[in-house]
Amino acid sequence: MDVPREKLFRCWHDPELLKQWFVPKPWTIASAEVDLRPGGRSLVVMQDPEGNQYPNEGVYLEVVPNEKIVSTDAFTAGWKPSGKAFMVAETLFEDAGNGKTRYTATARHWNAEDREAHAKMGFHEGWGMAADQLEALAKTL
Amino acid sequence: MDVPREKLFRCWHDPELLKQWFVPKPWTIASAEVDLRPGGRSLVVMQDPEGNQYPNEGVYLEVVPNEKIVSTDAFTAGWKPSGKAFMVAETLFEDAGNGKTRYTATARHWNAEDREAHAKMGFHEGWGMAADQLEALAKTL
C-alpha cells in the first residue's frame, strides 16, 4: 500500500476510522468497539443497506503497535468460549520503505469446511475491497 | 491451600516443578515446555504407567504473575488453529491471608458435548488429585 504503516494501524485502532473502511460499501459499520490489547474486546456491528445488523464479536490475541494485530471470534471478553471458534485473523503491517507498507491479512480456520464456507461468503473479494477502502482512507490522514 | 500463592505460581512456571505434580500418579510427565507469556507455547507430555505418551499442546492466553494463568488447546504457537478447540483453562491464585491461597482452576468448553466428555475422562477427580499434589509440592519449597 502506498501509505506508511503507522497510518494504516491508526485506521485499525481508532473506532471512528475503522467504521469508515472495515466493510465494503454499500454495507456500513453501525458501531465499533476496539479494545486493542491482548484479551481486549472487539465488537463490530455490520449493517446491510436494508438496515439489518450483524454483530461480530471477538477478542484481540496479540497486538504489536504498527506491526501486527491478531484477533479471533473463538472467545468473547474474559476468555469465554464463543458460540463457535470459526476463525483467527492475522494482520501484518511491514515497512516496505519510501512510505509504503506491505499489508498482509490472513484468515485461518479450524477446519477445511469453515475455510470453504468463508470463501463462499466472499472472503477474498470482501477483504480485498475493504483493504482498498483502508488504503484510500489512510492516505487522507 | 495452605501455602502462599507465589510458591504455587512457581510450581506452574518452572517446568521441573510442574512435572512433579501436573498429573495424578502413577501417571507421570515425560517432558514439559512452559513459555509462560501470552502466545507462548505450552507442551506437556503425559505418560501412563505402561510408557505410552500423550502430548498436550497449546498456548498461554493471559499471564499475571502470582495471580492468573489462562491457557487453551485451541491454538498451537503462532496462533495456528489446532486440530480442535476443546478447552480453555483459567487458574486463579488469590491471596487468602495468613500465607494461604484460594486456588481456583476452571475449564471451559465450546459446547456441552465436550464439557461432558471432559467430565467423563475424570476431569474433576484428576484436577483435584493434581491440585493436592501441587499443594504438597509447594509446601516443600
Side-chain angles (χ1 to χ4, degrees):
Chain A
M1 292 189 175
D2 195 15
V3 61
R5 61 182 178 174
E6 290 77 11
K7 292 187 178 182
L8 295 170
F9 193 84
R10 263 182 68 196
C11 293
W12 270 89
H13 195 173
D14 179 338
E16 292 312 310
L17 293 175
L18 184 138
K19 285 163 75 170
Q20 297 175 51
W21 71 266
F22 200 72
V23 283
K25 294 179 173 116
W27 281 53
T28 55
I29 302 294
S31 67
E33 199 179 315
V34 181
D35 186 7
L36 202 57
R37 59 184 177 88
R41 187 188 195 205
S42 163
L43 175 63
V44 177
V45 182
M46 303 185 180
Q47 185 169 305
D48 69 17
E50 287 73 45
N52 302 305
Q53 296 195 343
Y54 305 85
N56 280 260
E57 189 170 0
V59 297
Y60 297 99
L61 294 169
E62 185 181 351
V63 177
V64 183
N66 302 322
E67 289 183 23
K68 188 182 191 178
I69 298 171
V70 186
S71 65
T72 184
D73 61 3
F75 303 100
T76 56
W79 305 115
K80 302 282 191 306
S82 63
K84 179 173 168 61
F86 179 67
M87 63 170 285
V88 186
E90 181 189 74
T91 308
L92 300 178
F93 310 79
E94 293 171 89
D95 187 348
N98 299 316
K100 295 178 196 293
T101 304
R102 181 175 169 80
Y103 177 83
T104 314
T106 306
R108 293 193 180 91
H109 306 82
W110 271 269
N111 55 64
E113 200 181 350
D114 287 345
R115 186 188 57 207
E116 283 156 29
H118 202 180
K120 278 189 189 151
M121 278 180 221
F123 162 75
H124 290 98
E125 301 80 359
W127 282 35
M129 287 168 70
D132 290 344
Q133 295 177 172
L134 165 63
E135 183 180 18
L137 174 63
K139 279 182 179 175
T140 69
L141 299 179
Chain B
M1 292 188 174
D2 194 14
V3 61
R5 60 182 178 173
E6 290 77 10
K7 291 186 180 183
L8 296 170
F9 193 84
R10 263 181 68 195
C11 294
W12 269 88
H13 195 172
D14 180 339
E16 292 312 311
L17 293 174
L18 183 136
K19 286 163 73 170
Q20 297 176 50
W21 71 267
F22 199 71
V23 283
K25 295 180 172 116
W27 282 53
T28 55
I29 302 293
S31 68
E33 199 179 315
V34 181
D35 186 7
L36 202 57
R37 59 184 177 88
R41 187 188 196 201
S42 163
L43 175 63
V44 178
V45 181
M46 304 184 179
Q47 185 169 307
D48 70 18
E50 287 74 42
N52 302 305
Q53 297 195 342
Y54 305 84
N56 281 259
E57 189 170 0
V59 297
Y60 297 99
L61 294 169
E62 185 180 351
V63 177
V64 183
N66 302 322
E67 289 183 23
K68 186 182 192 178
I69 297 172
V70 185
S71 64
T72 184
D73 62 2
F75 303 100
T76 56
W79 306 112
K80 302 283 190 308
S82 63
K84 180 174 168 62
F86 179 69
M87 64 170 285
V88 185
E90 182 188 73
T91 309
L92 299 178
F93 311 80
E94 293 171 271
D95 187 349
N98 299 318
K100 295 179 196 292
T101 304
R102 180 174 168 79
Y103 177 84
T104 313
T106 306
R108 293 193 179 93
H109 306 82
W110 272 269
N111 55 64
E113 200 181 348
D114 287 346
R115 186 188 58 209
E116 282 156 30
H118 203 179
K120 278 188 190 154
M121 278 180 224
F123 162 75
H124 290 98
E125 302 79 358
W127 283 35
M129 287 168 70
D132 291 344
Q133 294 178 174
L134 166 63
E135 183 180 17
L137 174 63
K139 280 182 178 174
T140 68
L141 298 179

